[in-house]
């Protein structure tokens, strides 16, 4: 039997994620548990480093949607194995809470789901409310979950006004200082973000992760 | 003249229609409803938009049935109204179609992805497309499967059409530009898509949406290398800009039309527009085609 050091396991984990090898990734997560390797390091130097690499390959046009989603799903499966064994559970690796939804009247969920999946893979606690969700409901959930970030997606130019409505309601209720609001969807531009007084938008899922990290100073 | 006669006439460039969504917005229909239900609720406006494209010089216009599959309509709890929606869609276009012009049955994506991106299966796609095709078949002259971002879904849609209909078929995929060339978001290259469609029972290979006219011109120059079949292009008029509660497409019409002119020169057989294009755009292209 070959005995692997921590550093070697980290490298193998990165490779298993980048090569989209689910069985191998799961095996390595279990091995790390058995060997009592520092699990925070396993997450950070192994799985997170792996998914970052997948994200880079996607941004470079080497990977496409199926690889990106598969990588994030494998990562999620492994985190589900490791998190119960962390001393304080998910809080220990959670970088913050995100409530995300596609706005009312709009059923386009794929972009929003990809962003949610990537944020989860990067260690955020994500509450995905689905598509066609009224602004009031999104805010109610964000308050209940004590979210740091509200992400609102709209793919239709006809439903984008719902993104603005979120901020108007937050202002009316004096809740604007509680959350950072980010906007997503193909028609969203920086001019629209400015007009809505939102906190940002991103071109793609990887940029969205960077945006959320920077908004939360992570 | 039939569509096949047009295809065989080397001097003919076929003019398709332009965008529907931006025309609806112009008329204040910004409710976020699926446009297909407007075949029933605002049938006069839908007819008016079709008419404006025929009047502008389109040789053929497509039915307002982009989302009229059970899978897509189910997102709005409208799948039980599919027959009524499609019946009205055919009526709306038939009553304004000009003599000598054609009606194209429009088939858009189901909105459901296969794993690992979504949960759809090929069987679900097939049965969804089949229902749409059977309902449209009697009222259309030809088909346009469009804005498809997964080659697998396209092949399934083609099978669904061909199991029911012998009418001409245009198969248009939507591509994004990457550092390594044009790809679908699912990772199929332009070369793979065009070569695959070249071996399918389709009459025209097309590309539409996502790309503006400038990028579409480059795509066409590439695509033509991989097939001898006629090619169709329906680019967007740049990207939308939101001001207040209104959406604007700011690319000047002459810029778009100049690109289209170049595409005709490169060898596009069918030209038209997608998001952000209007009857004005189509009319400007009509003038270019007539002057060639």
């Amino acid at each position: 039997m070959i005995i692997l050091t921590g550093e070697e396991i980290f490298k193998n984990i990165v490779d298993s994620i980048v090569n989209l090898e689910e069985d191998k990734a799961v095996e390595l997560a279990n091995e790390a548990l058995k060997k009592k390797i520092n699990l925070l390091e396993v997450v950070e130097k192994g799985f997170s480093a792996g998914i970052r690499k997948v994200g880079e390959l996607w941004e470079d046009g080497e990977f496409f949607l199926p690889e990106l989603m598969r990588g994030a799903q494998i990562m999620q499966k492994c985190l589900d194995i490791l998190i119960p064994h962390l001393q304080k559970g998910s809080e220990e690796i959670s970088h913050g809470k995100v409530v995300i939804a596609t706005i009312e009247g709009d059923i386009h969920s794929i972009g929003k789901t990809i962003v949610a999946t990537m944020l989860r893979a990067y260690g955020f606690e994500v509450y995905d409310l689905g598509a066609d969700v009224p602004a009031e409901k999104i805010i109610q959930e964000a308050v209940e979950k004590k979210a740091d970030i509200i992400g609102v997606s709209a793919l239709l130019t006809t439903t984008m006004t719902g993104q603005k409505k979120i901020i108007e309601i937050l202002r009316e209720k004096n809740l604007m200082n509680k959350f950072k609001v980010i906007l997503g969807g193909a028609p969203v531009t920086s001019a629209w973000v400015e007009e809505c007084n939102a906190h940002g938008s991103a071109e793609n899922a990887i940029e969205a992760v960077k945006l959320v990290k920077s908004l939360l100073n992570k | 003249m039939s569509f096949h006669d047009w295809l065989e006439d080397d001097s003919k460039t076929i003019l398709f229609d332009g965008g529907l969504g931006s025309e609806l917005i112009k008329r204040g229909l910004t409710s976020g409803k699926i446009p297909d239900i407007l075949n029933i609720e605002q049938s006069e406006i839908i007819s008016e938009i079709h008419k404006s494209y025929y009047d502008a010089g389109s040789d053929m216009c497509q039915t307002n049935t982009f989302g009229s599959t059970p899978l897509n309509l189910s997102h709005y709890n409208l799948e039980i109204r599919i027959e009524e929606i499609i019946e009205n869609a055919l009526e709306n276009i038939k009553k304004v179609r000009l003599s000598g012009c054609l009606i194209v049955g429009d088939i858009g994506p189901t909105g459901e992805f296969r794993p690992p991106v979504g949960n759809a299966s090929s069987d679900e796609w097939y049965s969804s497309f089949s229902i749409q095709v059977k309902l449209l078949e009697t009222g259309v002259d030809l088909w346009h499967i469009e804005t498809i971002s997964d080659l697998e879904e396209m092949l399934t849609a083609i099978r669904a059409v061909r199991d029911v209909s012998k009418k001409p078929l245009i198969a248009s995929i939507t591509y994004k530009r990457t550092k390594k060339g044009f790809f679908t978001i699912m990772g199929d290259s332009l070369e793979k898509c065009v070569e695959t469609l070249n071996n399918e029972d389709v009459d025209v290979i097309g590309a539409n949406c996502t790309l503006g006219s400038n990028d579409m011109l480059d795509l066409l120059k590439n695509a033509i290398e991989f097939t001898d079949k006629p090619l169709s292009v329906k680019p967007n008029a740049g990207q939308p800009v939101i001001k207040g509660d209104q959406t604007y497409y700011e690319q000047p019409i002459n810029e778009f039309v100049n690109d289209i002119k170049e595409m005709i020169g490169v060898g596009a057989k069918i030209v038209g527009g997608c998001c952000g294009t209007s009857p004005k755009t189509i009319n400007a292209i009509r003038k270019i085609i007539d002057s060639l």
Side-chain angles (χ1 to χ4, degrees):
Chain A
M1 193 183 151
I2 305 162
I3 311 267
L4 296 175
T5 64
E7 292 300 323
E8 283 167 331
I9 286 188
F10 299 152
K11 187 186 173 301
N12 287 355
I13 290 172
V14 171
D15 289 347
S16 70
I17 296 285
V18 172
N19 297 329
L20 309 176
E21 296 169 309
E22 179 173 334
D23 292 348
K24 196 171 166 194
V26 167
E27 194 186 309
L28 287 162
N30 284 318
E31 192 180 333
L33 273 180
K34 227 187 283 171
K35 290 190 172 160
K36 299 193 170 21
I37 300 172
N38 181 329
L39 293 185
L40 284 178
E41 274 193 11
V42 172
V43 171
E44 186 47 39
K45 293 184 180 173
F47 291 104
S48 295
I51 200 67
R52 275 197 294 272
K53 181 76 186 156
V54 168
E56 283 165 18
L57 287 166
W58 184 65
E59 281 188 310
D60 286 347
E62 295 283 342
F63 272 9
F64 291 89
L65 214 42
E67 291 87 4
L68 183 70
M69 289 298 275
R70 192 77 196 104
Q73 286 163 1
I74 295 171
M75 163 97 179
Q76 188 60 47
K77 193 163 182 183
C78 295
L79 287 185
D80 288 346
I81 294 170
L82 298 175
I83 285 171
H85 299 273
L86 287 165
Q87 251 178 357
K88 291 178 195 160
S90 61
E91 276 176 26
E92 191 133 357
I93 63 156
S94 174
H95 292 135
K97 289 182 192 171
V98 182
V99 163
I100 192 166
T102 304
I103 197 69
E104 186 170 22
D106 201 325
I107 50 97
H108 296 90
S109 61
I110 186 71
K112 178 267 307 158
T113 306
I114 295 164
V115 171
T117 308
M118 292 314 292
L119 284 170
R120 270 196 203 108
Y122 276 81
F124 291 92
E125 207 173 322
V126 181
Y127 299 91
D128 183 348
L129 309 183
D132 192 12
V133 187
E136 295 79 5
K137 168 86 178 155
I138 297 172
I139 291 168
Q140 186 194 331
E141 285 290 323
V143 171
E144 275 174 24
K145 299 288 190 282
K146 297 190 170 64
D148 304 294
I149 300 273
I150 298 176
V152 197
S153 173
L155 204 89
L156 302 173
T157 47
T158 50
T159 54
M160 288 173 77
T161 45
Q163 295 178 318
K164 202 174 179 181
K165 194 174 157 192
I166 293 262
I167 296 184
E168 284 166 1
I169 298 175
L170 286 173
R171 288 204 155 152
E172 275 167 27
K173 297 190 169 177
N174 271 329
L175 290 170
M176 203 52 196
N177 57 346
K178 301 260 185 218
F179 312 103
K180 304 279 188 206
V181 182
I182 59 171
L183 309 181
V188 172
T189 59
S190 52
W192 178 241
V193 172
E194 213 168 289
E195 177 157 348
C196 290
N197 283 308
H199 296 96
S201 70
E203 278 290 301
N204 59 49
I206 301 300
E207 290 296 321
V209 173
K210 289 179 193 164
L211 171 69
V212 169
K213 279 185 167 177
S214 78
L215 286 172
L216 298 180
N217 297 317
K218 295 286 177 184
Chain B
M1 291 281 272
S2 73
F3 184 71
H4 280 302
D5 294 331
W6 286 350
L7 287 187
E8 278 160 26
D9 178 356
D10 284 341
S11 66
K12 171 89 179 170
T13 298
I14 302 166
L15 182 52
F16 218 146
D17 58 5
L20 175 82
S22 30
E23 289 304 296
L24 291 174
I25 293 168
K26 259 185 222 166
R27 289 164 175 81
L29 295 174
T30 56
S31 62
K33 282 181 180 171
I34 185 168
D36 306 54
I37 192 65
L38 300 176
N39 285 317
I40 299 170
E41 293 177 355
Q42 301 280 354
S43 57
E44 279 178 18
I45 287 181
I46 298 298
S47 280
E48 181 189 306
I49 295 171
H50 291 317
K51 184 175 188 305
S52 66
Y53 278 118
Y54 281 123
D55 287 346
S58 290
D59 292 309
M60 55 188 200
C61 296
Q62 51 191 16
T63 53
N64 177 28
T65 52
F66 182 86
S68 301
T69 49
L71 269 180
N72 226 327
L73 292 172
S74 69
H75 298 133
Y76 302 87
N77 295 319
L78 286 170
E79 68 274 27
I80 49 161
R81 299 185 73 184
I82 187 166
E83 285 183 32
E84 197 190 346
I85 289 171
I86 290 184
E87 210 171 280
N88 278 268
L90 288 171
E91 197 52 41
N92 294 339
I93 195 164
K94 209 168 90 182
K95 65 183 176 203
V96 294
R97 177 242 296 258
L98 299 177
S99 163
C101 294
L102 300 180
I103 294 174
V104 185
D106 187 29
I107 300 173
T110 60
E112 296 288 333
F113 285 77
R114 66 187 151 94
V117 182
N119 295 313
S121 71
S122 187
D123 287 349
E124 279 174 294
W125 282 339
Y126 179 83
S127 63
S128 196
F129 285 129
S130 283
I131 291 167
Q132 182 185 27
V133 170
K134 283 172 191 158
L135 290 170
L136 277 169
E137 164 72 5
T138 52
V140 303
D141 300 302
L142 70 149
W143 300 99
H144 188 209
I145 307 170
E146 63 164 334
T147 328
I148 304 283
S149 54
D150 184 348
L151 185 55
E152 294 277 323
E153 189 179 5
M154 173 56 89
L155 295 174
T156 308
I158 292 170
R159 192 155 50 86
V161 171
R162 282 293 168 244
D163 284 350
V164 172
S165 174
K166 290 192 169 69
K167 289 173 181 170
L169 171 57
I170 306 163
S172 294
I173 285 179
T174 194
Y175 300 91
K176 66 169 191 169
R177 190 170 204 154
T178 75
K179 287 174 195 166
K180 294 194 162 180
F182 296 98
F183 284 83
T184 66
I185 53 170
M186 298 299 276
D188 293 314
S189 67
L190 175 68
E191 180 176 1
K192 182 181 171 190
C193 291
V194 173
E195 286 182 345
T196 304
L197 293 175
N198 194 49
N199 295 323
E200 289 290 315
D201 188 4
V202 303
D203 302 88
V204 180
I205 296 173
N208 77 298
C209 208
T210 312
L211 302 172
S213 55
N214 210 332
D215 285 328
M216 194 63 93
L217 174 59
D218 289 343
L219 180 142
L220 181 72
K221 287 175 183 166
N222 279 314
I224 216 150
E225 304 288 322
F226 309 126
T227 181
D228 291 325
K229 285 192 179 181
L231 293 166
S232 168
V233 281
K234 277 190 130 197
N236 287 350
Q239 294 301 320
V241 178
I242 314 278
K243 287 179 186 167
D245 288 345
Q246 287 293 311
T247 310
Y248 300 89
Y249 287 84
E250 293 187 329
Q251 184 186 28
I253 286 182
N254 66 337
E255 202 180 291
F256 183 90
V257 172
N258 282 339
D259 286 335
I260 291 283
K261 187 179 178 185
E262 215 173 316
M263 285 185 239
I264 295 170
V266 171
K269 181 68 183 173
I270 302 176
V271 295
C274 204
C275 305
T277 58
S278 69
K280 271 189 189 164
T281 323
I282 295 302
N283 191 247
I285 302 174
R286 176 83 272 160
K287 286 175 184 152
I288 295 281
I289 292 175
D290 289 347
S291 72
L292 291 174

